[in-house]
Amino acid sequence: MEVFLRSPNWIGDCVMAIPAIRALKDLNPEIKIVLVTKISLKAVFENIREIDRMILISGRSDPLNLAKDIRHLKSFKIRTGLLFTNSFISAFLFRLAGVKALTGYIRDMRGFLLKKKIRFPGSGVHQKDFYMELVKIFTEKATISEYSDRLEISKNEKVNIIKKLSEAGINPKNFFIGISPFTAYGEAKQWPAFKFSELINKIKNEIVDSEILLFGAPSDKENIKSITRDSENKTFEITDGFSLREAITTISLCRVFISNDSGLLHVASALNIPAIGIFGPTLPEKTAPTKKNVRIIYKSADCSPCKHRICPIDHRCMASIGTEEVYSTLHEILN
């Protein structure tokens, strides 16, 4: 039996969904998993052997793109679907594409579109368990073990990235410290730029043979300048010159990765790279990587958790985290 599995829409959520994908395959080996994902997220799932096929969609809700996605999915004539997304439009898309047996959470007034349904568990459940519960409902079986979120990077991918970094002037004999100072969600989840700049200067002045790699989306290039203009030391940007897959491969070469609550923090953890996660307006117990290779620095505030994209007051949850605290955590990891 083939099943359409609609992936989440964020990089970190995609990583957190991988254990559930592996559980689905383990509990029902005869199932052919056809992952339906946005074009921009394909890179996260490459080389995951439990996925039999990937179908790429725009993921947009405007009529033109929605119609194209419906026609594309309908051509596969798959009648069973599992939604890792919560939106009405994702359920509507699958139903119009001919999926009759649809499993998902009752959210966004879409319950009538679902055959197997489960009430949304609320805010107390970690995101990876959120996906695992859907697999249990779909398979009607209990999970029997822990499943890995491991990302698969080929040897050739690493060789090609080392070559690309060398051509950019990065000494591959040095060790890499990756820093992801931005989040797709908004500024509220970001540690202040000047603190990242202070941290970079401290690392370069005190840790010899280190290369600082700054990760960001192409749209972050101007924001990176707000960090590097106050830095006394050279850094290298992993932005518009690198695809998402190349960025993931580059993270696999880092000695340590430092990040806000972002998708790339989950990528680093899934690649078994020691990482530091800087949290403020979001709850680590709900969205942080759960593996021991990630150190979480979190300062709760009376207004957190919040859902603001831009802090309307003084950003106290992130401002209260000092540069020295992050550097000391880095020093502990390296030693």
Side-chain angles (χ1 to χ4, degrees):
M1 178 180 74
E2 286 189 309
V3 55
F4 275 149
L5 173 57
R6 178 63 166 89
S7 84
N9 288 320
W10 300 88
I11 293 172
D13 288 356
C14 288
V15 174
M16 287 187 280
I18 289 174
I21 294 173
R22 292 193 162 114
L24 176 61
K25 194 69 161 183
D26 184 44
L27 294 173
N28 286 86
E30 75 281 1
I31 284 180
K32 300 293 185 183
I33 298 177
V34 182
L35 187 78
V36 179
T37 190
K38 291 163 65 173
I39 297 168
S40 59
L41 295 171
K42 174 179 179 286
V44 179
F45 299 105
E46 290 183 19
N47 300 335
I48 302 295
R49 64 180 180 83
E50 289 81 6
I51 297 171
D52 295 283
R53 181 167 48 175
M54 270 196 279
I55 297 176
L56 306 181
I57 60 172
S58 70
R60 298 172 182 168
S61 57
D62 61 279
L64 180 60
N65 280 291
L66 185 61
K68 287 180 180 178
D69 289 341
I70 290 169
R71 286 196 300 271
H72 186 42
L73 294 177
K74 201 169 186 177
S75 67
F76 293 92
K77 298 179 179 175
I78 294 176
R79 299 293 178 255
T80 305
L82 176 57
L83 295 168
F84 280 181
T85 49
N86 291 321
S87 67
F88 177 89
I89 199 68
S90 60
F92 187 60
L93 169 67
F94 271 24
R95 287 301 300 268
L96 290 183
V99 178
K100 303 296 185 183
L102 192 54
T103 300
Y105 282 109
I106 302 172
R107 291 298 301 266
D108 203 21
M109 299 184 292
R110 67 181 191 173
F112 71 98
L113 296 172
L114 307 175
K115 183 176 181 181
K116 287 185 178 180
K117 59 192 79 174
I118 181 175
R119 293 196 177 279
F120 191 72
S123 60
V125 176
H126 193 281
Q127 196 69 15
K128 66 182 180 63
D129 297 322
F130 170 94
Y131 302 123
M132 198 65 74
E133 286 301 313
L134 284 170
V135 169
K136 292 178 184 178
I137 292 295
F138 180 83
T139 62
E140 299 179 354
K141 296 178 182 179
T143 53
I144 55 177
S145 63
E146 289 289 323
Y147 295 92
S148 171
D149 64 355
R150 183 184 69 256
L151 299 180
E152 305 291 350
I153 308 294
S154 71
K155 183 178 179 180
N156 282 342
E157 286 179 301
K158 290 187 177 183
V159 169
N160 290 336
I161 280 298
I162 289 172
K163 180 182 178 183
K164 185 168 184 173
L165 294 174
S166 298
E167 291 173 349
I170 302 173
N171 186 350
K173 294 182 179 179
N174 290 343
F175 69 87
F176 304 153
I177 296 176
I179 295 179
S180 177
F182 309 110
T183 65
Y185 185 78
E187 295 176 10
K189 291 171 67 175
Q190 295 174 186
W191 200 41
F194 78 91
K195 294 199 174 190
F196 274 114
S197 182
E198 290 175 351
L199 179 65
I200 290 168
N201 287 332
K202 192 167 182 63
I203 291 170
K204 293 295 287 185
N205 291 334
E206 299 188 22
I207 303 177
V208 297
D209 299 329
S210 64
E211 299 281 9
I212 304 295
L213 308 182
L214 284 175
F215 290 75
S219 58
D220 291 324
K221 283 186 69 67
E222 287 301 314
N223 292 330
I224 282 179
K225 291 179 182 179
S226 68
I227 294 173
T228 56
R229 67 168 171 245
D230 295 325
S231 175
E232 307 159 4
N233 296 283
K234 187 176 182 181
T235 61
F236 296 90
E237 297 178 15
I238 311 297
T239 54
D240 57 348
F242 291 75
S243 68
L244 175 57
R245 187 64 186 178
E246 288 176 323
I248 291 171
T249 304
T250 304
I251 292 172
S252 75
L253 302 175
C254 291
R255 180 82 66 87
V256 183
F257 195 76
I258 303 169
S259 177
N260 303 301
D261 175 15
S262 73
L264 294 187
L265 177 65
H266 288 274
V267 167
S269 177
L271 291 168
N272 289 320
I273 303 301
I276 300 170
I278 304 172
F279 279 67
T282 51
L283 295 176
E285 58 264 32
K286 180 172 171 59
T287 61
T290 57
K291 289 158 66 174
K292 293 181 179 178
N293 63 352
V294 179
R295 307 276 192 94
I296 300 298
I297 299 177
Y298 172 61
K299 294 289 191 296
S300 179
D302 54 4
C303 50
S304 64
C306 76
K307 294 183 179 180
H308 291 295
R309 292 180 181 269
I310 298 176
C311 180
I313 48 175
D314 55 8
H315 210 194
R316 65 190 65 174
C317 59
M318 298 299 266
S320 61
I321 296 173
T323 304
E324 188 60 44
E325 182 175 4
V326 179
Y327 179 79
S328 296
T329 305
L330 171 64
H331 191 267
E332 288 175 10
I333 292 172
L334 293 175
N335 292 280

